[in-house]
Amino acid sequence: MTDASMQTPETGRRGTSLTATDERTRKRARAEKRFRFYGIIAIATGLFFLVVLFASILKEGIPAFTRTVVSVEFTLTPEQREEAEGTLFKTKAYSDLFIAELNKELAESGINVDFDEAAIERLLGKVGGTIRTFYADNPDKLGEPIMFDLAASSRVDGYFKGRVSRDTLQDSRFLQLSDLDLVDALKEAGIIKQAFNWPFITGADSGVDNPGGAGIGASVVGSFFMMLVVLVLSLPIGVAASIYLEEFAPQNKFTDLIEVNISNLAAVPSIVFGILGLAVFIQFMHLPQSAPLVGGLVLTLMTLPTIIISTRASLKAVPPSIRDAALGVGASKMQAVFHHVLPLAAPGILTGTIIGLAQALGETAPLLLIGMVGFVARGYPDGFLAGFTEPNSAMPAQIYTWAARADVGFYEKAWGGIIILLMFLLTMNIIAIILRRRFERRW
Amino acid sequence: MNDMSRVERQVDTNSIKLECRDCQVYYGDTHAIKDVNVDIEDKTVTAFIGPSGCGKSTFLRCLNRMNDTIDIARVMGSFKLDGEDIYDKRVDPVQLRAKVGMVFQKPNPFPKSIYDNVAYGPRIHGLAKNKAELDEIVEKSLRRGAIWDEVKDRLDAPGTGLSGGQQQRLCIARAVATEPEVLLMDEPCSALDPIATAQVEELIDELRSRYSVVIVTHSMQQAARVSQKTAFFHLGNLVEFGETGQIFTNPEDPRTESYITGRIG
């Protein structure tokens, strides 16, 4: 036996040094190096586009958070008010008073500039009306000096942000070249300035010709009520369905069919759910149009498959030995599931739910079909219950509406709205991570 | 084989606890257990031996209806615990499993504290009226599991943080906490080192004074050391069942002899 093996001819491998790599090994090493390189390229490309995306969103969206205001301290005595109310063109009387005040302030700063009432209207809109409404609502403020922060029109705002320049401006009913002299004078006097745009965060949508007044607050509230509906409906239904399918349901053709359909539902385009919502909830069940309740119902249908799939995956990931252990000491099936399996699956279920909610938060198409378009969000709902039924929009639908409008001022708002939406998504993801950490058992 | 003498000494006649007649188990179309008849005696350790896949674990799982959880498994025949058919329609498996406890191959403590692991069974069966009684049950069970001295100072520590052998003894303590009458053990030592195995085997011998113990094992030495009765399974058939000493020294069936001498299996 030993003789035979000793006489076998030397193969190529024998006698070679370990430090000298052969061709085959070198080839394998090269292939591995190449593969790593591809991986790094892929990740770098992804990161590059992410950075470009964020940079462009921030660059375009940050200006939405500032606005141009004309701040004038204005005092109206009761006598002046009475006199103005006695005239035929009441708002013009107020407007004249405001212009007089503005002229006084300009003179105090030693700046001399010619302007007429029409120019003020182009800059600030109907000032007289604004002032009159204010004093009609707050008669006790008469005689006190009041600081009026009046929003400048979209083009003046654009002049400050570099969107509009003297070279590109063409005289129109919106703004004339001569008005820019007034703007410069006001700027020199410190009357017109840039300020943080609170109305963008707290306000509601405005008309198509007033991008300066548009705010996302109302649609944030709309989104909030929708998410409430989605959470309250989809979490219990989704988790109950998954537990039944995963732990209790018999394995037969019928449950197989249900499983396949749930997986397929997750891939159905969202607009199909929109049509379904329109047909069933609004046309058949006559639920109110444009209501966050209906939006929430539609998004619940969309979110359920996501929640069911992730919940089932996390139930499956619980080792069967835990179920055996519980059943072995005489726990009923339900006790085994609720005492042992569900707590172990909880982090996965919560993460899946929050990812589903985040998906629903960013969904636009189905909302457009049930009438939750941006221009509906004209104000806040009156109270909590009204929040579900009163017409409102949601953040992505609002953003879509702004992006579709002609005035460039709205373009900026759309980007700003995306920043707000991303901030909400980021918050939800952070909550998901925190919950996961908290519920995870590390033993 | 000096173990043999000890085993022979302990053989005495006990009443029959579990009587199994004409037992058949099907997994789908596979006939996994064929015509098995076994009488499991009270206060006796019965060992099931046989090559892998011979059906000994399957048969063990029939004894507390753990096969109910497998959809495709069908069990037929008569299994009588103290004369009552455990597959009777009126029997709730939950009550059965409180009487017939089980210890699994891999130690599987709950990811909870040591205390909660043991207290879980008594809690769901309502065996303790108050905290003091529950404490007492936990201590008693941990003592019976021969692990009390090692864990008495850290009952709040996670059960999964113990060593493998400790975990398995904790699982035994958990199983005895519900005061079972029969204790089923499915290869309880296969994941343990020799020292932990020796501890568990010693424990099994002590448990015999209270319970009827059925143990599935791959180790013939273990079967010889701990059991009084041995059943040899092969390809779903019960080939031979009898006194352990007899099976190991003077088997009747040639297949048993081949297996214990290492020629098949």
Side-chain angles (χ1 to χ4, degrees), chain A residues 14 42 110 198 214 237 270 315 405 418 425:
Chain A
R14 261 182 194 257
W198 280 113
I237 297 176
S270 56
L315 288 174
R405 279 182 186 164
I418 283 173
L425 291 177

Side-chain angles (χ1 to χ4, degrees), chain A residues 127-143:
Chain A
V127 182
T130 315
I131 293 172
R132 185 170 176 239
T133 318
F134 175 78
Y135 282 109
D137 293 344
N138 309 288
D140 54 316
K141 294 281 164 75
L142 279 169

Side-chain angles (χ1 to χ4, degrees), chain B residues 48-62:
Chain B
F48 290 173
I49 59 169
S52 291
C54 68
K56 52 194 190 305
S57 286
T58 301
F59 186 70
L60 188 77
R61 289 169 67 93
C62 291

Side-chain angles (χ1 to χ4, degrees), chain B residues 20-188:
Chain B
C20 311
R21 290 282 171 275
D22 299 326
C23 304
Q24 322 276 345
V25 179
Y26 293 89
Y27 283 124
D29 296 331
T30 319
H31 197 174
I33 295 284
K34 299 161 195 162
D35 302 319
V36 170
N37 296 296
V38 175
D39 287 334
I40 288 159
E41 291 172 10
D42 201 10
K43 298 192 167 49
T44 307
V45 178
T46 309
F48 290 173
I49 59 169
S52 291
C54 68
K56 52 194 190 305
S57 286
T58 301
F59 186 70
L60 188 77
R61 289 169 67 93
C62 291
L63 302 181
N64 69 344
R65 294 185 58 174
M66 281 299 274
N67 283 331
D68 288 14
T69 58
I70 301 166
D71 282 335
I72 55 164
R74 278 182 301 133
V75 180
M76 283 177 281
S78 128
F79 295 80
K80 288 198 167 136
L81 178 68
D82 291 329
E84 287 181 314
D85 188 1
I86 62 173
Y87 280 87
D88 192 292
K89 277 201 169 60
R90 289 167 297 176
V91 172
D92 190 331
V94 166
Q95 273 175 306
L96 172 70
R97 287 176 200 143
K99 279 192 171 189
V100 183
M102 188 154 188
V103 176
F104 298 85
Q105 182 172 3
K106 212 176 126 233
N108 56 354
F110 299 127
K112 296 176 189 279
S113 70
I114 292 169
Y115 183 93
D116 286 336
N117 260 286
V118 181
Y120 182 70
R123 266 197 200 124
I124 58 171
H125 293 295
L127 297 184
K129 285 188 199 71
N130 50 43
K131 179 86 170 76
E133 271 186 43
L134 193 60
D135 287 350
E136 203 179 304
I137 293 176
V138 169
E139 184 181 338
K140 197 174 68 189
S141 307
L142 286 170
R143 278 189 196 283
R144 282 193 198 153
I147 193 180
W148 172 253
D149 290 331
E150 290 157 68
V151 299
K152 63 183 176 199
D153 300 324
R154 45 175 179 145
L155 292 176
D156 290 331
T160 38
L162 299 170
S163 74
Q166 288 175 325
Q167 285 189 18
Q168 195 61 297
R169 279 180 286 147
L170 175 64
C171 292
I172 294 173
R174 182 177 66 189
V176 300
T178 55
E179 290 291 339
E181 293 163 25
V182 180
L183 202 54
L184 308 178
M185 296 183 158
D186 191 356
E187 297 179 41

Side-chain angles (χ1 to χ4, degrees), chain A residues 78-345:
Chain A
E79 298 79 46
Q80 280 174 313
R81 184 178 178 219
E82 231 160 82
E83 196 184 315
E85 289 294 325
T87 57
L88 184 58
F89 300 107
K90 297 182 181 67
T91 55
K92 183 173 185 311
Y94 285 101
S95 173
D96 286 343
L97 285 168
F98 176 78
I99 288 167
E101 180 65 37
L102 196 62
N103 265 322
K104 203 175 91 196
E105 280 194 26
L106 281 170
E108 274 168 18
S109 313
I111 294 161
N112 198 11
V113 65
D114 255 358
F115 63 92
D116 57 2
E117 205 197 328
I120 287 296
E121 204 177 308
R122 285 194 295 272
L123 249 61
L124 300 172
K126 311 261 187 220
V127 182
T130 315
I131 293 172
R132 185 170 176 239
T133 318
F134 175 78
Y135 282 109
D137 293 344
N138 309 288
D140 54 316
K141 294 281 164 75
L142 279 169
E144 286 173 39
I146 302 291
M147 198 65 164
F148 277 96
D149 282 338
L150 299 162
S153 74
S154 156
R155 293 191 192 208
V156 176
D157 193 44
Y159 178 59
F160 271 82
K161 289 171 183 167
R163 213 162 55 223
V164 176
S165 73
R166 280 174 187 274
D167 306 327
T168 58
L169 183 71
Q170 299 204 323
D171 284 358
S172 71
R173 66 184 177 92
F174 298 115
L175 197 65
Q176 294 185 349
L177 205 53
S178 57
D179 297 335
L180 291 179
D181 297 333
L182 173 60
V183 171
D184 286 339
L186 288 171
K187 189 179 174 186
E188 211 182 317
I191 294 171
I192 194 165
K193 57 182 185 276
Q194 298 257 36
F196 187 74
N197 196 353
W198 280 113
F200 175 63
I201 293 171
T202 58
D205 192 23
S206 60
V208 283
D209 51 0
N210 180 21
I216 201 164
S219 37
V220 169
V221 171
S223 280
F224 169 76
F225 280 106
M226 274 196 338
M227 287 306 111
L228 220 56
V229 174
V230 175
L231 182 68
V232 166
L233 290 178
S234 65
L235 184 62
I237 297 176
V239 171
S242 332
I243 290 176
Y244 178 74
L245 282 174
E246 196 58 44
E247 306 282 344
F248 294 96
Q251 286 283 319
N252 55 31
K253 289 251 163 59
F254 183 63
T255 47
D256 281 352
L257 190 75
I258 290 179
E259 270 169 40
V260 169
N261 276 303
I262 287 173
S263 309
N264 284 345
L265 272 182
V268 168
S270 56
I271 198 140
V272 176
F273 285 101
I275 283 279
L276 180 82
L278 176 63
V280 175
F281 296 128
I282 294 176
Q283 290 173 348
F284 178 70
M285 291 167 72
H286 297 291
L287 290 175
Q289 214 170 3
S290 309
L293 173 69
V294 179
L297 289 173
V298 171
L299 294 181
T300 300
L301 295 179
M302 260 196 60
T303 314
L304 267 177
T306 316
I307 291 186
I308 292 178
I309 289 170
S310 65
T311 303
R312 292 191 64 184
S314 32
L315 288 174
K316 252 192 204 117
V318 175
S321 65
I322 294 292
R323 292 181 185 85
D324 281 350
L327 294 177
V329 294
S332 69
K333 194 130 189 197
M334 196 167 144
Q335 285 173 325
V337 170
F338 281 87
H339 294 169
H340 300 289
V341 178
L342 209 52
L344 288 176

